[in-house]
Amino acid sequence: QVQLAESGGGSVQTGGSLRLSCAASGRGFSFNVLGYGRQKPGQQRDLVATISLARTATYADSVKGRFTVSLNKAQSTVYLQMNDLQPEDTAVYYCYYRHRSQQEFWGRGTQVTVSS
């Protein structure tokens, strides 16, 4: 079992910032890759940022330069700092975990709404 406890999210105006956090735990958790994905209405869920145990980060092109993913290894917590938010960033954001076996887990999601 893997638990992904998410916090953060909410509503901001264009250009604003938000920070998401996700704490991973459970018997099935063994750190490999953590991150966030998002799903816009009527679209599939896509990864936006991931970070590995070695702190190698990857970003979707649409968020590069605006979003920063970071890690607190001791607390098995991943953070997503989102700056210069735009209306097209409006989505449900999901915490993401990938085990070494490549099995993937998702959190329950948190809404981020950016108004113009």
Side-chain angles (χ1 to χ4, degrees), residues 78-92:
V78 62
Y79 303 94
L80 185 67
Q81 178 67 40
M82 304 183 291
N83 297 330
D84 190 24
L85 283 161
Q86 303 296 313
E88 53 266 34
D89 295 315
T90 295
V92 178

Side-chain angles (χ1 to χ4, degrees), residues 9-10 12-21 35-40 46-51 56-71 78-94 110-114:
V12 294
Q13 293 187 327
T14 298
S17 298
L18 286 173
R19 189 193 197 206
L20 306 180
S21 64
Y36 277 89
R38 68 186 181 187
Q39 187 167 19
K40 301 178 183 181
D46 295 316
L47 285 174
V48 295
T50 63
I51 188 165
T56 300
T58 64
Y59 297 94
D61 288 343
S62 59
V63 307
K64 283 180 181 177
R66 301 187 298 121
F67 290 12
T68 302
V69 63
S70 60
L71 176 67
V78 62
Y79 303 94
L80 185 67
Q81 178 67 40
M82 304 183 291
N83 297 330
D84 190 24
L85 283 161
Q86 303 296 313
E88 53 266 34
D89 295 315
T90 295
V92 178
Y93 284 71
Y94 295 89
T110 185
Q111 178 70 44
V112 170
T113 302
V114 185

Side-chain angles (χ1 to χ4, degrees), residues 1-14:
Q1 287 282 6
V2 174
Q3 288 80 45
L4 301 173
E6 301 162 312
S7 61
S11 299
V12 294
Q13 293 187 327
T14 298

Side-chain angles (χ1 to χ4, degrees), residues 2 26-33 97-100:
V2 174
R27 291 177 57 188
F29 178 74
S30 176
F31 193 86
N32 185 37
V33 173
Y97 164 62
R98 185 168 71 239
H99 190 267
R100 291 186 187 87

